[in-house]
Every structure is written in C-alpha cells, then in structure tokens.
Amino acid sequence: MVNQVTQGVLQQVPQQVSQQPYAPAELQLFALEQSKGFGAAVAGHLGLALSPHEEREFEDGEHKARPLESVRGRDVFVIHSLYGEEQHSGNDKLCCLLFFIGALKDAGAARVTAVTPYLAYARKDRKTKPRDPVTTRYVAMLFEAVGTDAVVTMDVHNLAAYQNAFRCHTENLEANPLFVRHFLPAMRGEDVVVVSPDAGGIKRAELFRQRLSRVLGRPVGAAFAEKYRSGGVVSGEMLVGDVDGKLALIIDDLISSGGTIARTARACRQRGAKTVIAAATHGLFMADAETVLADAALEQIVVVDTVPPLRVSEGPLREKLRVLDSTAMFADAIRRMHEGGSVVDLLESD
C-alpha cells in the first residue's frame, strides 16, 4: 500500500514541475564607478536606470561598496570592466567587484551575475614554464568564493580555459558581429584575406572569416603569421597564406604593446598586401603602442569599447583608430539571461 502511494506521488511530481512557467525575479542593474558610463549605456538599451550604490575608499587604500536599495530576491547584474588605468589597477577593480558581489549575496540577492567586458588575468591560463601560476583558475575561484552565480565577458583570450576554470555559469560574447557590420560596406568590392597574427589565434580568425564570407556571399581567404614569445620578446617573420594584392584584415582578441599587430602588418605589406587593417576586441595600448602602431604599414585599427582608449593621445594612432559600441550586445545578453533566453542565438545572428 505504501509503495503504491509513493509511486503515485513520484509519477505526479514531473508533471507538476513541467507546468511551471519560467518566472524571473525582478531585474536589477549596477555599474561600479569606473564602468558607470558603459553601464548607463547598457541600462539605456534595457529601458532601466542603474540602481544606486555607495563606494568609499579609506585613507589606507581599503575599499567599501554596498547597494543603496534592497536587492532581496532580485536577479542582479553588476557591470565592471577589469582593465587597469592610472588611478585604479586591474587588481583594485577585481577586489571591488568581488566585495560588492559578496555584499549583494549577503543582502539576499537571488542571483548575481558579474558582467566584465574585459576580464583581467584571462591571458595567464596555462603553465608555460616550470612552476608557473594558472591565474585564470585562481580568479575563477575568487568569483565562486563570494557566491557569483554567473560571469559574462567578451572575447576571452582562451575560451576553453575560461569555460574550464569556472564552475559557475559562464558566457563569452563575441565581437565578430560588430566587426562584420563595421567592415562590410568597405569590403563588398575587395579581395579580402583574414590574417591571424599567430597560430594560437587561428580559430578566432577562422570564425570571423566564416561569418564574413557568409555575409559577403563569396569566399574569403585565410593566412597566419609565425610568432614566438619568450621573456617578453616576440620573434618570427614567416607568413603563411596569399595576401598579394589583397586587403589583409588582421584579427586578434587584444592589443597590448602593439608589437604583434605591427609585425604582422609589415609582413603582409612585404608580401604584397594592398591594404592592411587590424581589428582587436580589447585595446589596452600599453607601453609604446602609440609609436609602434603609427607604422605606415597599418592603415586602420578597430577596437571595441570594452576598454576605453585612455592611453591614446592625439596623433597618428588616434587618427587611424575606430572604437565600436558593444553596449547594445551586452544589454541583449543580459535581457536573454534574465528571461531564460538563448545567448547562443544572439551570437549566431548576423
């Protein structure tokens, strides 16, 4: 008799659960201070106002952040891009974000998603020398320790390493749709070849090449440059692929010192490329990037606003630089995650 009753209850439970519609908690959006402009633009696309919060820095450099309205039971997204700048390092911003997420969870938020357009420490994702740290994994552990439910970024350096490092939910948005829409008008009548500046970026460049070819409705060539890095020194001059007489479009995930992009641009020119353009998601422009990228071999550089071009002054680099707006894409991803929709569909749409 007990077994029959138990069996009947078990048979009813799946049917009851399947009838429950997805009912998201109320959406709440914060942007920490150094990302407030970016966050306000994302909020505008969502038809929201940023939720108020307080940030304080104490005399000894310690930091405090807290929400100024209730987050209990809410679906909370926090925007903070983790690039370093003169007043606030990537470390400072990472700590601030982690502590704020912890405060949100302690205040009863139902779910907290960290939206980091640029994710710090994503490049150190594996051991390349004996006793090397795997910093990407350590950062993931910090996010998990404060209760982060999901992390959203754009064009992380190594997607597989990013996905494997985090045990919480992760999303990686791609700048490819933004680049394709930007370049499309100028490339309809051009013979184009997509160039990866190193062997490690071939898959990233190939995904862009396939999307561009599909939108153009014709084949687009592929090439890649030889690159070796040791002790901060980059070497390698070989270029594999035909660029002669073509528009060479170099695709990468970020520009730091600019050496890799400039070296690849010169190699393309030496092998007869008619025009050389570079596109990279994150424009850090460190060290002597302004001088290095002023090279006449490179006609245009296109980046995304995940990192504002704070270090680029008026001059040759500023004149050839274009910055694309990604805030609508981040807003769409937030909306889809909040409503239980598909971020994959967003990435696959042209």
Side-chain angles (χ1 to χ4, degrees):
M1 183 66 177
V2 172
N3 289 340
Q4 290 177 349
V5 171
T6 304
Q7 183 178 8
V9 170
L10 291 174
Q11 287 174 345
Q12 292 176 15
V13 168
Q15 183 179 3
Q16 292 172 345
V17 171
S18 66
Q19 290 175 349
Q20 295 295 322
Y22 177 74
E26 185 177 344
L27 172 63
Q28 206 161 9
L29 185 65
F30 291 89
L32 296 184
E33 195 60 41
Q34 287 75 47
S35 295
K36 187 167 273 188
F38 189 96
V42 172
H45 290 298
L46 291 167
L48 298 174
L50 290 174
S51 293
H53 74 286
E54 176 192 27
E55 292 183 49
R56 289 181 57 194
E57 290 191 11
F58 299 100
E59 292 81 359
D60 60 355
E62 292 185 1
H63 185 89
K64 166 190 170 181
R66 68 185 179 104
L68 292 177
E69 63 183 28
S70 176
V71 296
R72 185 167 299 280
R74 306 287 180 82
D75 186 14
V76 181
F77 291 79
V78 186
I79 298 173
H80 202 32
S81 199
L82 304 180
Y83 58 88
E85 53 184 308
E86 185 176 352
Q87 298 297 325
H88 301 88
S89 70
N91 296 333
D92 295 333
K93 292 182 178 182
L94 177 61
C95 277
C96 180
L97 177 58
L98 292 171
F99 295 161
F100 188 62
I101 291 172
L104 292 168
K105 295 297 288 190
D106 285 348
R111 181 175 72 168
V112 178
T113 299
V115 181
T116 60
Y118 176 75
L119 179 62
Y121 293 110
R123 284 179 282 178
K124 194 57 192 141
D125 53 38
R126 60 193 173 93
K127 292 178 181 286
T128 54
K129 293 183 178 180
R131 296 171 293 282
D132 254 2
V134 186
T135 319
T136 300
R137 179 162 55 84
Y138 310 154
V139 169
M141 293 167 69
L142 291 172
F143 274 106
E144 291 155 7
V146 296
T148 311
D149 296 288
V151 175
V152 181
T153 190
M154 176 172 273
D155 281 337
V156 73
H157 185 65
N158 183 328
L159 180 57
Y162 167 65
Q163 292 171 334
N164 288 328
F166 285 83
R167 290 175 295 178
C168 66
H169 180 73
T170 58
E171 294 288 356
N172 178 65
L173 306 185
E174 297 173 2
N176 279 348
L178 303 177
F179 289 140
V180 168
R181 284 195 290 271
H182 174 78
F183 288 121
L184 192 60
M187 294 191 173
R188 290 200 179 276
E190 295 285 347
D191 191 359
V192 183
V193 56
V194 174
V195 183
S196 171
D198 54 46
I202 288 177
K203 186 173 182 180
R204 179 183 300 106
E206 176 62 13
L207 290 173
F208 174 80
R209 188 196 68 80
Q210 290 175 3
R211 182 183 288 264
L212 182 61
S213 178
R214 183 171 68 248
V215 174
L216 287 172
R218 55 182 170 83
V220 172
F224 73 92
E226 176 189 32
K227 175 183 173 183
Y228 302 102
R229 183 190 295 275
S230 181
V233 178
V234 176
S235 60
E237 299 297 330
M238 184 175 66
L239 183 72
V240 178
D242 180 18
V243 299
D244 189 21
K246 300 181 180 181
L247 188 159
L249 179 53
I250 304 169
I251 294 291
D252 209 352
D253 64 317
L254 64 86
I255 298 174
S256 182
S257 67
T260 296
I261 294 292
R263 178 183 55 83
T264 306
R266 289 193 296 270
C268 289
R269 287 289 194 180
Q270 290 166 4
R271 285 154 181 81
K274 181 178 67 174
T275 305
V276 181
I277 297 173
T281 306
H282 313 293
L284 301 179
F285 301 117
M286 305 299 297
D288 297 324
E290 282 194 294
T291 302
V292 172
L293 294 171
D295 195 312
L298 195 58
E299 291 195 12
Q300 188 181 97
I301 301 171
V302 181
V303 296
V304 179
D305 60 352
T306 54
V307 180
L310 302 169
R311 302 178 183 91
V312 180
S313 57
E314 293 298 327
L317 177 55
R318 173 70 71 173
E319 291 172 4
K320 65 174 71 175
L321 182 64
R322 305 290 182 271
V323 181
L324 306 185
D325 186 348
S326 65
T327 56
M329 180 179 285
F330 275 96
D332 201 352
I334 289 171
R335 182 185 294 109
R336 289 167 184 257
M337 291 181 70
H338 174 65
E339 295 175 352
S342 172
V343 177
V344 173
D345 290 346
L346 167 64
L347 301 179
E348 291 180 348
S349 61
D350 290 323

